[in-house]
Each structure stands twice: as C-alpha cells, then as structure tokens.
Amino acid sequence: MKAGIILGVLILLSFCCMPVAASVDSRYSYLTFHSVDLSLEESRAVVTVDYSVDSGVQILVLFLGNQDLKNKVERVMNFDGARVRTADLNRAVLVVDAASFDYGDGSYWFPHHEFLVTIPDVTLRTPQVTREYSMVSVIEDGIGYFARSQQQRS
C-alpha cells in the first residue's frame, strides 16, 4: 500500500515538472524539435534537424539502435524520398534528391512544404538568399532560386 502511494506521488510530481504549451506543438512521440536548416543546391536539399530525445528513451535508443528515431525524424520532416545520412540523440541530417523542381537553365523552385509539427526555427538557404521562419509547420510560399554558376563553385 505504501509503495502504491509513493509511486502515485512520484507520478503526480513528474507530471507537474513536465514542460507545457510552448513545446507541445514541437513534439512528436519522444522527440522535441528545435530547429531545421534546409540547404538547397540545384534540386537537392540537405536537411539538418536539431531535436532532443526524452531522457527515459535515450537509454533505449542507445541499447536498441536508432532506427525508430530515424523513422520518426523522416516522418516529421515529411519529404518524399528523404534518406537519413546520420542521426544521433540531438541531430539528424537528411538528404532529399528531388526537393525542388528543375525548370532548366539552372532555375529551380522549392514548393510549399508542410512539417508534421511546429518547428520553432527554420532556416531555408539557397545559393542567393537565406530566409528564416519562426514557429512554423508550413512553409507557405515556395522559393525560386538559381544554381551556383561555375565561378561561384570555385
């Protein structure tokens, strides 16, 4: 009986100590997303995702592997054909080969994109411009850009 009361009090205290509201929209399962950096070069995107893993799950990820973590990050980023290059307890890097439409002559269009959670900080980089967004789940307007010229690549 005493063990049940103590356990109940500990559970109640753990709920009181949980972060609320601000991070709820940025959570998916045991992940809390902090930022996304999308770097566009030609039709390819490199997506760097910063997140945190709930402390109780970190040990499971270390012992059982990170495949579930990779799957969750891929799902939340919501890119068709994304490949996880690396993933650890704080950051993942995804590569998307066809993130943008190729209109020929070195011109590209990154379309409207929707994440499955609200991301506090999103940075979208093209060879010409960098755009920053706060607290977004959707990049409403696409962005047009040009590939780097041969001079810019050297």
Side-chain angles (χ1 to χ4, degrees), residues 128-154:
Q128 290 77 39
V129 69
T130 298
R131 289 188 183 170
E132 295 183 3
Y133 305 89
S134 295
M135 299 307 290
V136 295
S137 59
V138 177
I139 298 174
E140 290 287 342
D141 300 323
I143 184 170
Y145 60 98
F146 297 97
R148 291 185 189 183
S149 67
Q150 290 296 346
Q151 288 178 330
Q152 289 175 321
R153 291 181 187 172
S154 357

Side-chain angles (χ1 to χ4, degrees), residues 14-84:
S14 69
F15 280 116
C16 293
C17 296
M18 290 177 65
V20 291
S23 66
V24 170
D25 290 337
S26 298
R27 287 185 59 82
Y28 182 82
S29 185
Y30 54 81
L31 295 171
T32 302
F33 290 85
H34 304 294
S35 67
V36 172
D37 187 312
L38 284 137
S39 294
L40 302 170
E41 180 64 41
E42 297 183 357
S43 62
R44 183 176 182 225
V46 175
V47 184
T48 304
V49 186
D50 289 314
Y51 52 81
S52 55
V53 176
D54 290 349
S55 58
V57 178
Q58 289 179 0
I59 294 170
L60 292 173
V61 171
L62 291 173
F63 285 124
L64 300 176
N66 65 356
Q67 188 58 50
D68 184 61
L69 173 70
K70 290 177 182 180
N71 292 341
K72 287 183 181 348
V73 171
E74 267 186 83
R75 175 142 174 71
V76 169
M77 291 300 101
N78 197 27
F79 285 101
D80 289 335
R83 297 182 324 273
V84 177

Side-chain angles (χ1 to χ4, degrees), residues 88-125:
D88 58 31
L89 294 176
N90 301 309
R91 174 177 289 166
V93 176
L94 291 81
V95 176
V96 185
D97 289 325
S100 299
F101 299 113
D102 182 351
Y103 287 126
D105 296 331
S107 63
Y108 298 88
W109 178 256
F110 178 77
H112 163 102
H113 184 76
E114 186 170 346
F115 301 104
L116 297 185
V117 299
T118 299
I119 309 292
D121 295 304
V122 175
T123 304
L124 180 61
R125 301 174 197 281

